[in-house]
């Protein structure tokens, strides 16, 4: 006997560009019905990250040095441990503020943490927008 199975997964990606996008971030995240929010940001964007974290009600804020150096396995491990320390669950939204290397790091970590958590990317470079 031979059987074939086809697994189809649908995903919707919402892209928001324009003036006032920062003010729309909180409602967009709340529409996901997360049980908590953690903001990961490039360490060079601390003032912006603190402002956004306050406006979205983030339970934790994690600063990571950007650049190619952050794309290492030990950085994935560190980020996953910090998410655990902050009590992140599969229902937590991971908000990522930074350039392409940071969105790569956080996106990969988010995809493997507890079999995947939702990520909201706030790209700050042209490359990160394209990624």
């Amino acid at each position: 006997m031979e059987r074939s199975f086809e697994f189809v997964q649908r995903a919707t990606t919402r892209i928001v560009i324009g003036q006032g996008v920062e003010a729309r971030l909180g409602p967009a995240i709340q529409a996901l019905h997360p049980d908590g929010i953690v903001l990961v940001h490039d360490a060079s964007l601390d003032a912006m990250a603190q402002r956004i974290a306050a406006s979205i009600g983030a339970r934790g804020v994690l600063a990571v040095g950007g650049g190619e150096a952050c794309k290492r396995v030990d950085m994935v491990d560190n980020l996953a441990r910090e998410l655990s320390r902050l009590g992140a669950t599969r229902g937590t939204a991971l908000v990522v503020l930074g350039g392409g290397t940071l969105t790569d790091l956080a996106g990969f970590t988010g995809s493997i943490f507890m079999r995947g958590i939702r990520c909201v990317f706030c790209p700050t470079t042209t490359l990160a927008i394209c990624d």
Side-chain angles (χ1 to χ4, degrees):
M1 177 190 306
E2 184 177 316
R3 291 190 178 168
S4 297
F5 297 91
E6 181 178 340
F7 296 96
V8 178
Q9 180 181 12
R10 286 192 175 184
T12 301
T13 300
R14 183 173 175 207
I15 300 171
V16 180
I17 300 171
Q19 285 188 296
V21 72
E22 188 176 322
R24 296 170 58 190
L25 184 58
I29 294 168
Q30 289 308 317
L32 300 173
H33 306 289
D35 64 12
I37 302 168
V38 175
L39 175 69
V40 177
H41 69 91
D42 187 302
S44 68
L45 302 171
D46 194 58
M48 181 188 296
Q50 295 303 323
R51 184 179 71 241
I52 290 173
S55 74
I56 64 175
R59 85 163 55 140
V61 180
L62 303 172
V64 177
E68 289 297 317
C70 80
K71 290 168 71 172
R72 298 188 326 256
V73 173
D74 63 313
M75 295 297 287
V76 172
D77 182 55
N78 291 343
L79 185 52
R81 287 178 191 274
E82 286 299 308
L83 289 170
S84 292
R85 183 185 64 77
L86 290 168
T89 70
R90 195 149 188 236
T92 300
L94 180 61
V95 178
V96 186
L97 175 67
T101 56
L102 186 63
T103 57
D104 286 351
L105 167 69
F108 177 74
T109 304
S111 74
I112 64 170
F113 183 78
M114 295 195 167
R115 297 188 337 246
I117 62 175
R118 285 171 284 194
C119 293
V120 176
F121 297 104
C122 303
T124 58
T125 64
T126 304
L127 182 57
I129 292 169
C130 296
D131 282 351

